[in-house]
């Protein structure tokens, strides 16, 4: 290095500097004239809505895409990154949102994969073992090197990804939405690891859409909007409100405004609901819940504690090979929990709507056009056809109305669902389910992978449905969302309801304990809404 | 955003694949010391150069339309029906039983009755694999292949022991009554006052096949059932979420598929042979897979691909007749066409998509 290092922070070469990066895909300008400077030894946040161009930018940095224009400087020297090997050699490591691990390999095997030295594995493995031990001590990155990856928790799998990058001597670590799959405790641990790495002089780029994380851990933050870098600021000098406004381009309400709930008669009554899955594991261990008309019940909990199964049973499609017992009533009428009558079409006839947890796998047919997806699940409805034929004109008219009312962009009926952004895909699902005016709406992860502007919009629609006197069951792993949207909250852990709380009467700490399975206060035992 | 215009997707890609397959075929013909140009002209002359050639080409194409549609319908439900061969064979049995047992005074009555018999037997033969797939998870590719062999063996037994007329040495059924013979296209042309396709087997079933194309298109893209079939084919979890029963759709789609394969028998058994013979299907069930693949699982594509394979069949026969190119080479050419249009589709598609993307960028 020719320059003198570190005397003046601004004079030292930046870890990464981008100058005028542009990238277009066909007519879509994904990145436009991006300038970015990330200083060595800092944590730099990049925030923006889905489709703002964050992932494209990072893919350019990692050599997946070639920029149409612009220059990349790593450590002050211009570098043409043609593939991921170049990026790795330049000291750039990437931790993807969807881990790139071989599930049936051990941690050690995964770490040396692609970095084997020589034809025999043993020397590489023992070298890796040594490096791993050292890294574990330095950064709290403890993982059993001989454990098979598929047996690890998600948080540990992520550590393996970080270790992979560090093993390849990454100085610059890029993390794409790293906390999406983590519990609050795991996320805290990750942040401690990142802080440790920063203390060692590593540079970290954190891509996220969660404002809280940006405020908590980053030193500087850059905001992207529609392919452009609209601001780069010191985190200490900004606020979540300002960042949200920069992201969306207008003022955004971060908290849901809603009147006090006016609960009416009970709509959903669940008694001692149990589910044993095909492998014989009890996934639901006696759930009791009530939801009244005009009330939002939020179910908090780390994912994988039975919420999915609960939604699937209520939605009419319990997991294959499972046994369900207990009693569920909607408006007083029992829901069939097994047999031919237990199907989603029948549930819809009984007044249930369902916004599923995974819109891409369940809620939409990704290859179908928007208008076909508007009819999906209701394709037997009389207004959508005559006899066996579908009435395309009627469906399209309805779809156009929904697209307009829910501000789906681009407002195109014929575009395939997969070509919409996550937020707009979700708006299609939400429009379809809410406009059916169901007595009970099941909602799973309504805003997962949805941008802030759309979150605000979807939350508003949900509250409107509540105010129209409908019952809503909301499942979300986003604690903030549960806290701000729910009229009443229940926490699920290991197939049980650990307790119920009112949003005003609790703290995240209290809920966090329940989510971790610690039975806290006895106040939950006799909740007034239980006796109906 | 579509990567390339629709016409390029459905026409240009298979056409380029076809040209590539032909080029390699030409090399093979060169390698055995024959002239590719002569081979090509012989094939074109023989299959398309006369109304006689066209008559055979269209006759073969009719078979392939039915089996191609069968594969296509199942494919939309994400089911790979390889059992067209057996289902078509069983369809032939259905036709024979109907025509030999019912006194049908006129072909106009015999045709619908035979169609019901053909479709019912074909569908029934697809029902068992469908049920096994839907209820037991037995893979439909395996079961339908096995059912092809069972159908062949069963037909062998039935023809030899049950349907063979007393005293006949031939493992075939009795001839169908004269009144049930279908009008040939040559007869129909004659009735209209011109001569066309004398002594060729192509018959009114060709029009039934064309109508079947239209009905299948309606079914898949215009009905609620077709919507459910396509949705299930794209995503089973989504189908469950929407209240579409996988068991029901698997069985219905396979019944329709088997029925279409079975319907082929009105062409080859009722229209051409006019009795049930051993091995009447002659591989058309398998050609149907290639036809559906090349036709991109759309009825119009199936129709065009069936014409192409009809041409290859008839042209190939002519090649064996008039040149010293061995008959086996036709199978090589067909295999190359299947390989390029089906298996190696992406080899042409991906560069083509890139080209269109680049062109669009320059235009934008």
């Amino acid at each position: 290095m020719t320059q003198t290092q570190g005397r003046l922070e601004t004079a030292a070469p930046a870890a990464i500097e981008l100058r005028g990066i542009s990238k277009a895909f066909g007519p879509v300008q994904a990145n436009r004239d991006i300038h970015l400077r990330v200083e060595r030894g800092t944590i730099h946040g990049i925030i923006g809505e889905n489709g703002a161009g964050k992932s494209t930018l990072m893919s350019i940095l990692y050599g997946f895409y070639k920029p149409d224009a612009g220059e990349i400087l790593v450590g002050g020297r211009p570098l043409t990154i043609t593939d991921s090997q170049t990026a790795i050699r330049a000291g750039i490591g990437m931790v993807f949102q969807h881990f790139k691990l071989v599930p049936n390999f051990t941690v050690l095997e995964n770490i040396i994969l692609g970095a084997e030295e020589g034809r025999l594995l043993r020397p590489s493995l023992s070298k890796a073992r040594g490096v791993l031990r050292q890294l574990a001590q330095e950064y709290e990155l403890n993982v059993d090197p001989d454990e098979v990856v598929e047996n690890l928790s998600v948080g540990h799998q992520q550590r393996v990804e970080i270790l992979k990058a560090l093993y390849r001597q990454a100085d610059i670590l890029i993390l794409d939405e790293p906390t999406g799959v983590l519990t609050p405790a795991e996320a805290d641990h990750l942040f401690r690891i990142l802080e440790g790495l920063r203390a060692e002089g590593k540079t970290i780029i954190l891509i996220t859409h969660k404002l809280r994380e940006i405020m908590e851990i980053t030193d500087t933050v850059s905001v992207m909007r529609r392919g452009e870098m609209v601001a780069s600021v010191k985190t200490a000098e900004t606020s979540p409100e300002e960042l949200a406004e920069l992201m969306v381009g207008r003022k955004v309400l971060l908290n849901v405004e809603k009147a006090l709930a006016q609960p009416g008669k009970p709509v959903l009554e669940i008694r001692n609901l149990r589910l044993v899955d095909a492998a014989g594991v009890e996934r639901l261990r006696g759930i009791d819940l009530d939801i009244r008309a005009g009330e939002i019940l939020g179910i908090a909990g780390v994912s994988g504690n039975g919420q999915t199964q609960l939604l699937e049973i209520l939605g009419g499609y319990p997991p294959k090979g499972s046994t369900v017992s207990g009693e569920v009533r909607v408006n007083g009428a029992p829901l069939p929990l097994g047999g031919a009558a237990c199907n989603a079409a029948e549930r819809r006839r009984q007044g249930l709507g369902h916004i599923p947890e995974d819109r891409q796998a369940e809620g939409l047919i990704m290859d179908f056009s928007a208008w076909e997806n508007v009819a999906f699940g209701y394709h037997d409805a009389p207004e959508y056809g005559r006899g066996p034929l579908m009435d395309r004109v009627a469906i399209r008219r309805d779809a156009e109305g929904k697209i307009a009312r829910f501000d789906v962009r681009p407002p195109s009926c014929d575009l395939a669902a997969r070509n919409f952004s996550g937020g707009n895909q979700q708006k299609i699902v939400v429009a379809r389910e809410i406009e059916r005016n169901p007595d009970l709406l099941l909602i799973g992860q309504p805003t997962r992978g949805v941008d802030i502007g759309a979150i605000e919009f979807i939350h508003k629609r949900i509250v409107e449905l509540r105010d129209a006197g409908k019952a809503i069951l909301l499942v979300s792993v986003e604690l903030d969302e549960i806290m701000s949207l729910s009229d009443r909250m229940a926490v699920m852990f290991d197939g049980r309801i650990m307790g119920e709380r009112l949003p005003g009467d609790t703290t995240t700490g209290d809920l966090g304990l329940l989510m971790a399975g610690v039975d806290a206060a006895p106040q939950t035992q006799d909740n007034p809404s239980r006796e109906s | 955003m579509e990567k390339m215009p629709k016409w390029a997707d459905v026409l240009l890609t298979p056409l380029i694949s076809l040209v590539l397959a032909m080029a390699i075929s030409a090399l093979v013909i060169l390698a055995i010391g024959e002239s590719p140009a002569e081979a090509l002209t012989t094939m074109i002359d023989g299959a398309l150069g006369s109304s006689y050639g066209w008559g055979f080409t269209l006759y073969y194409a009719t078979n392939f339309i039915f089996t191609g549609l069968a594969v296509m319908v199942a494919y939309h439900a994400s089911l790979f029906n390889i059992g067209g061969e057996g289902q078509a064979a069983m369809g032939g049995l259905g036709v024979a039983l109907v025509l030999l047992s019912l006194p049908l005074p006129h072909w106009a009555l015999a045709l619908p009755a035979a169609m019901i018999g053909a479709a019912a037997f074909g569908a029934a033969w697809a029902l068992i694999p469908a049920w096994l797939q839907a209820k037991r998870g037995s893979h439909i590719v395996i079961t339908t292949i096995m059912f092809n062999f069972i159908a062949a063996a069963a037909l062998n037994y039935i023809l030899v022991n049950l349907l063979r007329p007393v005293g006949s040495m031939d493992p075939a059924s009795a001839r169908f009554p004269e009144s049930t013979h279908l009008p040939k296209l040559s007869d129909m042309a004659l009735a209209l006052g011109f001569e066309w396709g004398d002594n060729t087997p192509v018959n009114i079933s060709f029009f039934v096949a064309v109508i079947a194309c239209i009905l299948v298109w309606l079914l898949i893209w215009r009905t609620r059932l077709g919507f459910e079939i396509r949705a299930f084919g794209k995503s089973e979890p989504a189908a469950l979420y929407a209240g579409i029963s996988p068991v029901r759709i698997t069985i219905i789609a396979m019944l329709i598929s088997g029925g279409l394969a079975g319907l082929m028998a009105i062409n080859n058994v009722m229209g051409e042979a006019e009795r049930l013979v051993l091995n009447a299907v002659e591989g058309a069930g398998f050609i149907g897979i290639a036809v559906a693949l090349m036709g991109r699982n759309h009825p119009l594509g199936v129709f065009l691909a069936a014409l192409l394979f009809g041409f290859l069949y008839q042209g190939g026969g002519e090649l064996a007749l008039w040149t010293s190119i061995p008959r086996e080479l036709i199978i090589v050419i067909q295999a190359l066409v299947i390989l390029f249009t089906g298996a190696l589709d992406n080899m042409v598609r991906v560069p083509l998509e890139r080209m269109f993307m680049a062109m669009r960028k320059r235009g934008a």
Side-chain angles (χ1 to χ4, degrees):
Chain A
M1 217 152 290
T2 47
Q3 280 172 281
T4 45
Q5 284 178 306
R7 212 165 290 157
L8 250 168
E9 203 180 74
T10 43
I16 284 191
E17 191 174 349
L18 304 181
R19 289 182 185 161
I21 294 286
S22 289
K23 173 78 188 168
F25 297 101
V28 182
Q29 192 76 33
N31 284 162
R32 192 193 306 272
D33 193 26
I34 301 279
H35 291 266
L36 175 71
R37 190 181 158 91
V38 180
E39 301 299 340
R40 189 178 297 279
T42 62
I43 299 181
H44 188 101
I46 294 184
I47 195 162
E49 297 196 290
N50 289 309
K54 297 172 300 203
S55 300
T56 306
L57 191 61
M58 291 309 121
S59 299
I60 288 173
L61 262 183
Y62 204 58
F64 285 165
Y65 298 137
K66 204 169 117 280
D68 300 335
E71 202 183 6
I72 302 171
L73 286 84
V74 178
R77 276 179 297 188
L79 184 70
T80 316
I81 302 175
T82 49
D83 54 20
S84 55
Q85 290 302 319
T86 322
I88 290 167
R89 272 197 300 275
I92 300 174
M94 184 114 176
V95 176
F96 293 93
Q97 195 174 357
H98 302 286
F99 305 148
K100 305 210 180 301
L101 297 171
V102 184
N104 54 354
F105 274 20
T106 66
V107 169
L108 219 47
E109 286 167 335
N110 264 293
I111 283 178
I112 63 159
L113 183 66
E116 309 93 339
E117 291 150 22
R119 289 188 182 279
L120 290 173
L121 281 182
R122 196 168 286 275
S124 305
L125 282 171
S126 54
K127 180 191 160 204
R129 192 181 296 277
V131 175
L132 213 58
R133 199 175 301 130
Q134 199 188 333
L135 288 172
Q137 280 168 3
E138 261 176 85
Y139 305 113
E140 258 192 280
L141 275 163
N142 289 309
V143 189
D144 176 2
D146 297 311
E147 185 58 89
V148 176
V149 160
E150 62 193 346
N151 298 337
L152 294 176
S153 72
V154 180
H156 278 80
Q157 290 187 15
Q158 191 174 53
R159 281 183 216 171
V160 178
E161 283 283 13
I162 296 174
L163 284 167
K164 256 171 74 178
L166 294 178
Y167 183 75
R168 288 159 177 72
Q169 280 153 8
D171 277 323
I172 301 158
L173 202 57
I174 305 171
L175 296 107
D176 190 5
E177 300 281 357
T179 60
V181 288
L182 302 183
T183 67
E186 282 174 326
D188 284 345
H189 190 143
L190 172 69
F191 288 165
R192 279 206 304 282
I193 293 171
L194 296 184
E195 276 163 1
L197 289 168
R198 172 174 57 186
E200 292 289 315
K202 308 263 185 205
T203 309
I204 290 155
I205 299 179
L206 181 70
I207 304 164
T208 181
H209 67 276
K210 293 184 185 169
L211 292 167
R212 197 159 47 90
E213 289 172 1
I214 290 285
M215 298 308 293
E216 204 175 305
I217 181 136
T218 63
D219 302 305
T220 45
V221 53
S222 297
V223 185
M224 288 191 77
R225 184 171 77 224
R226 289 187 198 156
E228 291 179 56
M229 196 62 89
V230 290
S232 280
V233 289
K234 284 206 161 54
T235 311
E237 293 166 8
T238 185
S239 67
E241 287 76 16
E242 189 192 6
L243 288 177
E245 196 181 328
L246 282 168
M247 271 166 75
V248 184
R250 61 180 166 84
K251 282 223 181 298
V252 180
L253 288 172
L254 289 179
N255 280 311
V256 187
E257 279 186 350
K258 62 184 198 327
L260 216 58
Q262 307 284 332
K265 63 176 178 53
V267 174
L268 175 70
E269 298 161 273
I270 301 176
R271 293 290 172 273
N272 194 24
L273 185 65
R274 288 171 185 278
L275 177 136
V276 180
D277 71 9
V281 181
E282 198 173 26
R283 294 290 180 183
L284 296 179
R285 305 162 183 257
I287 301 283
D288 291 287
L289 277 179
D290 289 276
I291 309 180
R292 291 165 178 277
E295 183 184 44
I296 299 175
L297 175 75
I299 295 189
V302 178
S303 69
N305 278 295
Q307 301 98 315
T308 303
Q309 287 83 355
L310 178 64
L311 284 177
E312 285 176 350
I313 292 174
L314 296 176
Y317 52 108
K320 229 178 188 172
S322 63
T323 329
V324 183
S325 65
E327 198 188 358
V328 179
R329 287 171 180 278
V330 170
N331 288 327
L335 284 190
L337 299 177
C342 175
N343 69 68
E346 197 52 47
R347 292 284 203 270
R348 288 188 172 82
R349 256 166 251 139
Q350 283 184 275
L352 269 79
H354 186 181
I355 298 167
E357 287 189 306
D358 189 339
R359 63 176 164 269
Q360 303 201 336
E362 296 189 346
L364 296 165
I365 301 283
M366 299 300 278
D367 288 335
F368 277 17
S369 61
W371 69 265
E372 283 177 303
N373 272 301
V374 161
F376 187 54
Y378 301 98
H379 48 276
D380 273 334
E383 67 271 25
Y384 283 161
R386 283 158 313 225
L389 292 179
M390 296 189 90
D391 185 346
R392 291 156 67 93
V393 177
I395 300 173
R396 291 177 70 103
R397 198 184 309 121
D398 188 37
E400 271 161 19
K402 285 185 164 65
I403 283 174
R405 285 189 293 277
F406 280 74
D407 191 27
V408 176
R409 283 182 225 174
S412 162
C413 259
D414 292 308
L415 206 60
R418 71 167 67 259
N419 295 326
F420 287 93
S421 71
N424 285 301
Q425 287 172 358
Q426 187 73 333
K427 280 183 185 173
I428 296 174
V429 178
V430 170
R432 180 181 73 206
E433 299 301 322
I434 283 190
E435 291 210 343
R436 283 272 145 187
N437 210 14
D439 290 336
L440 170 65
L441 181 62
L442 311 170
I443 309 178
Q445 319 298 350
T447 54
R448 177 182 280 171
V450 170
D451 43 72
I452 290 195
I455 289 177
E456 183 194 19
F457 184 87
I458 290 169
H459 283 175
K460 265 192 194 158
R461 295 285 95 79
I462 293 173
V463 172
E464 273 172 24
L465 190 71
R466 178 204 75 165
D467 292 341
K470 308 300 183 181
I472 290 159
L473 175 70
L474 169 73
V475 171
S476 176
V477 293
E478 304 275 350
L479 207 47
D480 295 346
E481 177 166 58
I482 293 279
M483 301 261 290
S484 68
L485 210 51
S486 310
D487 299 312
R488 202 151 50 82
M489 301 182 293
V491 180
M492 253 180 115
F493 174 77
D494 197 23
R496 286 194 189 85
I497 301 288
M498 291 303 293
E500 289 189 11
R501 296 283 191 273
L502 296 172
D505 287 356
T506 186
T507 60
T508 39
D510 175 31
L511 290 174
L513 282 177
L514 289 176
M515 282 163 70
V518 182
D519 205 343
Q523 69 185 63
T524 56
Q525 294 309 309
D526 43 11
N527 190 302
S529 72
R530 282 279 181 84
E531 288 117 60
S532 51
Chain B
M1 192 181 57
E2 303 304 325
K3 288 196 173 126
M4 56 181 175
K6 198 150 189 187
W7 64 266
D9 182 48
V10 296
L11 281 178
L12 196 58
T13 317
L15 225 56
I16 293 176
S17 300
L18 191 63
V19 168
L20 284 175
M22 288 300 186
I24 298 201
S25 304
L27 290 180
V28 174
I29 292 171
L30 267 181
I32 60 170
E34 299 286 337
S35 151
E38 192 197 328
L40 188 65
T41 40
T42 310
M43 280 181 82
I44 290 178
D45 268 356
L48 310 174
S50 63
S51 70
Y52 179 81
W54 270 103
F56 275 94
T57 298
L58 289 182
Y59 164 74
Y60 291 126
T62 307
N63 287 340
F64 303 151
I65 290 174
F66 282 118
T67 53
L69 289 177
V71 174
M72 179 207 130
V73 169
Y75 181 86
H76 276 285
S78 193
L79 296 163
F80 201 11
N81 179 12
I82 304 198
E85 193 77 8
Q87 290 145 17
M90 280 298 166
L93 181 63
V95 167
L97 291 182
V98 166
L99 296 182
L100 291 173
S101 58
L102 297 179
L104 294 158
H106 190 265
W107 70 265
L109 284 175
L111 180 60
M115 282 171 68
I116 291 169
F121 270 63
W125 204 245
L127 175 64
I128 304 168
W131 188 87
L132 286 171
Q133 167 79 62
K135 289 283 192 186
R136 314 287 313 168
S138 318
H139 205 286
I140 201 135
V141 169
I142 310 292
T143 48
T144 48
I145 285 188
M146 295 198 297
F147 265 65
N148 286 338
F149 290 102
I150 300 174
L155 269 184
N156 202 338
Y157 176 85
I158 290 168
L159 279 176
V160 171
N161 296 296
L162 304 175
L163 288 181
R164 184 169 52 96
V166 182
S168 163
M169 302 277 282
D170 194 10
S173 76
R175 289 187 68 79
F176 302 147
E178 195 72 36
S179 61
T180 64
H181 290 180
L182 290 180
K184 301 271 192 287
L185 289 201
S186 54
D187 305 336
M188 296 164 81
L190 221 50
L192 291 175
F194 63 97
E195 244 180 69
W196 186 93
D198 273 350
N199 298 318
T200 60
V202 64
N203 58 75
I204 196 165
S205 307
F206 174 71
F207 296 114
V208 179
V210 172
I211 294 169
C213 283
I214 297 167
L215 289 179
V216 164
W217 175 80
L218 263 177
L219 167 77
I220 297 292
W221 280 284
R222 287 294 183 273
T223 66
R224 303 191 206 248
L225 179 62
F227 187 90
E228 294 194 345
I229 288 176
R230 285 186 296 130
F232 169 74
K234 293 284 184 197
S235 165
E236 184 169 344
L240 279 170
Y241 157 81
I244 297 165
S245 157
V247 172
R248 180 173 157 264
I249 294 299
T250 301
I251 287 181
I252 290 180
M254 279 304 285
L255 284 178
I256 297 172
S257 174
L260 282 164
L263 272 178
M264 177 191 136
I266 62 164
N267 188 45
N268 68 333
V269 175
M270 186 181 185
E272 197 257 343
E274 294 168 349
R275 59 182 186 146
L276 184 60
V277 298
L278 262 186
N279 194 21
V281 184
E282 290 182 308
F286 293 116
I287 298 288
I289 298 167
V291 166
L293 269 175
M294 190 177 179
R296 306 209 63 72
N297 292 297
H298 190 285
L300 182 60
V302 165
F303 178 81
L304 294 175
L307 281 183
L308 172 71
F309 276 87
F311 158 76
L312 286 176
Y313 244 60
Q314 169 58 13
E318 294 285 314
L319 210 54
L321 201 59
W322 299 113
T323 69
S324 48
I325 294 172
R327 199 179 181 91
E328 284 70 28
L329 197 74
I330 307 313
I331 300 172
V332 173
I333 296 175
Q334 283 167 2
L336 282 167
V337 171
I338 294 172
L339 189 69
F340 274 88
T341 57
L344 296 180
D345 188 54
N346 277 343
M347 195 177 77
V348 174
R349 179 172 308 275
V350 173
L352 213 57
E353 277 174 0
R354 281 214 197 100
M355 205 184 76
F356 273 99
M357 295 283 268
M359 265 165 48
R360 185 166 345 180
K361 200 151 99 191
R362 212 163 305 141

